[in-house]
Amino acid sequence: MCDDCSMPRMSRRNLILGGMVLAGAAMLPRYACARAPQNAISPDEALHRLMDGNARYAANAPAQRDFSARREMLAQSQHPVAAILSCADSRVAPELAFDQGPGDLFVIRVAGNFVNEDGLASIEYAVKYLNTPLIMVLGHSSCGAVGAAIKVAREGITLPGHLQGMMRDIGPAVEAVKASGQDDILPAAIVENVRRNVRRLETAEPILAGLVGDRKIKVVGTHYELTNGQVTLV
């Protein structure tokens, strides 16, 4: 008997099934690429994800991650679930505070977490071109920038360099709290500053206001407590 005759014969059915398996394997990368991005969620879902992450952070139980696993994918594109306007204070780190990784948050930082033209443009970019569904203004306890604005308002001093210009952006929140007659001005001014910047973002033309009105995006204000790491909604 020849060697060829001793080889098992493949039925037509087996050949067809084998071809289907190979064809399916060839299609896997295409299906993987077609998967919806992580930020294809509602603003409320994005907020829930961040607040769950903060609960883990405050409990000192962050999710375990292998940051190297996503680097190649992130080199090709980004799909942040939230744009966060945060204070530049070194004690406030949004990615840590919300237990998120690279590519998850689009963070704009400026002392006093107030909206200026460059910050607004950055947020517009996140919403318009990265499809980010949630915008968050993140204030924090013991904010030095707001504290400086209070000092300027009380004592009429002028700060050096460009610092005085920053006081003009934070000052209205301080004046509003002073006019209300509250005794402990700093905590109240920190919260008022967050609220005012939320309102500015909600009404910012020509991009954000329409999307907020159509409920395609949401703007929220939050407060980070330095002593325990907890974030609360304002």
Side-chain angles (χ1 to χ4, degrees):
M1 183 180 291
C2 66
D3 292 339
D4 289 341
C5 294
S6 64
M7 296 179 63
R9 294 181 178 275
M10 293 286 289
S11 69
R12 182 180 180 186
R13 180 173 179 272
N14 287 339
L15 286 171
I16 293 174
L17 288 174
M20 291 174 65
V21 170
L22 290 174
M27 291 293 289
L28 282 176
R30 185 181 303 177
Y31 289 140
C33 291
R35 187 173 62 182
Q38 67 167 353
N39 63 358
I41 56 178
S42 71
D44 287 335
E45 288 172 320
L47 179 59
H48 184 72
R49 170 172 167 171
L50 265 58
M51 298 307 285
D52 279 352
N54 176 249
R56 293 193 301 271
Y57 170 76
N60 199 30
Q64 297 297 317
R65 291 191 185 87
D66 177 6
F67 291 122
S68 65
R70 297 178 63 199
R71 283 176 184 155
E72 184 175 353
M73 180 188 70
L74 290 173
Q76 305 303 317
S77 63
Q78 59 173 320
H79 304 282
V81 297
I84 298 183
L85 174 59
S86 170
C87 185
D89 193 300
S90 64
R91 299 166 293 179
V92 182
E95 287 87 355
L96 295 178
F98 293 105
D99 193 26
Q100 302 298 304
D104 295 335
L105 303 179
F106 193 88
V107 180
I108 301 94
R109 302 189 66 163
V110 60
N113 46 269
F114 62 88
V115 181
N116 58 20
E117 292 300 311
D118 294 332
L120 177 57
S122 297
I123 292 171
E124 288 175 336
Y125 173 79
V127 169
K128 181 73 174 178
Y129 295 104
L130 302 180
N131 299 314
T132 302
L134 178 69
I135 302 170
M136 177 183 288
V137 180
L138 179 63
H140 69 94
S141 60
S142 304
C143 181
V146 177
I150 293 172
K151 188 177 180 66
V152 167
R154 280 176 170 170
E155 303 177 15
I157 63 174
T158 299
L159 299 181
H162 293 84
L163 291 171
Q164 191 66 24
M166 183 171 67
M167 296 301 101
R168 287 193 292 270
D169 289 291
I170 304 173
V174 172
E175 294 298 336
V177 172
K178 282 180 59 181
S180 69
Q182 297 187 52
D183 295 329
D184 198 357
I185 296 180
L186 179 58
I190 289 170
V191 171
E192 179 63 21
N193 183 51
V194 169
R195 287 177 176 151
R196 286 172 174 262
N197 284 283
V198 166
R199 288 196 293 270
R200 180 175 179 189
L201 289 170
E202 286 178 330
T203 57
E205 297 285 357
I207 295 175
L208 301 186
L211 294 173
V212 170
D214 293 337
R215 297 186 179 180
K216 293 181 178 178
I217 65 170
K218 176 180 278 190
V219 185
V220 297
T222 54
H223 179 271
Y224 176 81
E225 176 55 53
L226 293 176
T227 59
N228 58 25
Q230 291 181 349
V231 173
T232 54
L233 291 173
V234 170

